[in-house]
Amino acid sequence: MRRCLAMLVLGLPLLVDAAEVDGAASFVQKCAACHTIGKGQTVGPDLKGVTARREQDWLVRWIMHPDKMLAEKDPIATDLLKQFNGIPMPPQGIAEEEARALLAYIAAQSAGEQTASADAGSGRAEVAGPAPIKITGIPRIALVTFLAIMVFIMLVFLSIGRSARSAQPLDMKSAYRLRARLFVGAVLIVAAVLAFTLPQTPYPDFTQTPERVIHMAGNQYSFMFFNEPVTRAEDLAQIHPVALDELPADKLLEFRVTSLDVNHGFAIYSPDGQLFAQTQAMPGYINRLRVRFKDPGRYNIFCLEYCGAGHHLMRSELVVR
Ligand code: CUA
């Protein structure tokens, strides 16, 4: 059973990447943390019959861009936000085709259809299986170096253990001389490493005034951006989030990062998938993260700290023009 579950979890991304979007798998991966269909309200509304209650196009847009619709103060979206304790639906990076597959799945489940149940995903996931992990490049060099150092340390301990058995009188003078030489050697190595790396530390220059200050408040499980500071969940009723789809390139920007519940990681990834900048989002603290985006494009934002069952759902994006 546990093995099946592990395979299901590991296999899900493979299913979603398939050319044909599987609404059931997508629902389990992206919606089930907060929504149910006909089992009663959880974090978000229960979705039974939602496709009959609301217009299809509204639902598609809401699934794709909940942050934008809240920023535009869409009346239904604003109402839902109030009803659900100010916890906004986080954008999940869902494309139109996937949104329509999700709605088809929700409609089928609402009608009591059993054929496309979420459990059916497990059978297919088992066939796909987890992909084998291959370690190449720098991680491989790091792994080999680490193992070599471990072997060396073990050999040193073995030889010390063996020499301790043959009790010869110690020459204290030469032992102290060796210790002094090792100490000077270690100091020289540390000084050289610091002299080489410290000047390259990318500490921001806080004497400059940023072009724009963006306030970020994280909560389980979304990142929200505001033009004014938001430090308590109650603020969400008055201050509305903004979408970051027009950030200027090559200008100094400052994110003031905090959290409304638990610790989160706030990490920005550049369009080519490299970690660009990151800081911690902590309740009761505001961390300032200064960035200057060089390349225009879509930047992903991910949570880098395990913050609860929906940690993997915690993502957002920003666009640099
Ligand atoms: Cu927020 Cu992990």
Side-chain angles (χ1 to χ4, degrees), residues 45 54 58 62 75-87:
R54 303 210 195 284
W58 186 91
W62 175 239
I76 302 174
T78 312
D79 230 45
L80 282 171
L81 182 68
K82 254 185 234 154
Q83 254 184 63
F84 286 87
N85 312 315
I87 303 171

Side-chain angles (χ1 to χ4, degrees), residues 219 221 223 262-265 303-308 311-312 314:
N219 70 353
Y221 298 98
F223 298 103
V262 300
N263 273 14
H264 299 278
C303 182
L304 283 196
E305 185 159 330
Y306 184 72
C307 52
H311 159 72
H312 63 294
M314 201 164 161

Side-chain angles (χ1 to χ4, degrees), residues 11-12 45 53 97 139 172 203 207 219 221 270:
L12 273 176
R53 281 201 301 277
E97 192 195 358
M172 290 311 282
Y203 282 123
T207 56
N219 70 353
Y221 298 98
S270 59

Side-chain angles (χ1 to χ4, degrees), residues 133-143:
I133 297 167
K134 272 187 206 143
I135 302 172
T136 53
I138 290 174
R140 194 195 178 99
I141 296 170
L143 180 65

Side-chain angles (χ1 to χ4, degrees), residues 170-189:
L170 271 181
D171 176 1
M172 290 311 282
K173 243 186 203 163
S174 70
Y176 280 130
R177 226 176 292 134
L178 176 65
R179 189 175 73 171
R181 252 182 262 142
L182 286 176
F183 179 73
V184 171
V187 167
L188 286 178
I189 289 171

